[in-house]
């Protein structure tokens, strides 16, 4: 009943759902040990300088990737992209669309 009138019950407040959205790719390398180490270095840097930004480091065949954020809207991802390009030493930053993201309810 609460969901029909726009209220979120206490049980639902900590719930997260999966959706399709955007992430900002900070690093992408190939399938080598050096790329894995570089992806982890980027992960560590982003986590230390931007603690509120979710960081995702993963291997998706055939490359290592380090992405940040879980954005429902392109505008949010673009704002983060501009900020990271301006404030970090990483310049090959791009926006990835059609990503499976996790958002709080």
């Amino acid at each position: 009943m609460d969901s029909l009138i726009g209220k979120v019950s206490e049980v639902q407040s900590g719930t997260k759902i999966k959706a399709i959205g955007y992430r900002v790719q900070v690093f992408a390398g190939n399938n080598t040990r050096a790329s894995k180490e570089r992806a982890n270095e980027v992960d560590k840097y982003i986590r230390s300088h931007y603690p509120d930004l979710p960081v995702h480091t993963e291997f998706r065949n055939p490359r290592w990737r380090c992405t940040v954020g879980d954005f429902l809207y392109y505008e949010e991802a673009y704002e983060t992209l501009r900020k990271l390009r301006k404030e970090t030493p990483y310049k090959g930053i791009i926006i990835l669309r059609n990503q499976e993201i996790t958002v709080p309810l």
Side-chain angles (χ1 to χ4, degrees):
M1 187 67 153
D2 286 341
S3 64
L4 294 175
I5 57 175
K7 293 182 181 178
V8 178
S9 69
E10 290 180 26
V11 175
Q12 292 179 333
S13 63
T15 306
K16 294 184 177 185
I17 60 169
K18 293 188 183 226
I20 299 298
Y22 302 90
R23 285 195 175 151
V24 177
Q25 179 178 284
V26 182
F27 172 79
N30 54 13
N31 184 10
T32 64
R33 183 172 299 210
S35 291
K36 179 181 179 180
E37 291 171 3
R38 181 74 174 140
N40 288 324
E41 288 172 11
V42 172
D43 181 300
K44 186 177 177 182
Y45 179 89
I46 297 294
R47 286 182 195 275
S48 67
H49 288 81
Y50 303 95
D52 296 335
L53 201 57
V55 181
H56 313 276
T57 301
E58 62 189 359
F59 179 76
R60 286 198 181 176
N61 201 10
R63 67 183 52 92
W64 281 95
R65 270 197 231 184
C66 183
T67 58
V68 297
D70 287 317
F71 306 107
L72 282 174
Y73 303 105
Y74 180 84
E75 291 78 12
E76 296 171 317
Y78 185 72
E79 182 180 322
T80 300
L81 172 131
R82 287 182 48 135
K83 182 177 182 179
L84 291 174
R85 280 186 178 168
K86 183 178 178 183
E87 299 175 359
T88 67
Y90 312 115
K91 302 302 176 202
I93 301 171
I94 61 171
I95 295 175
L96 301 175
R97 57 184 74 206
N98 297 325
Q99 300 295 301
E100 186 176 295
I101 62 171
T102 305
V103 291
L105 219 156

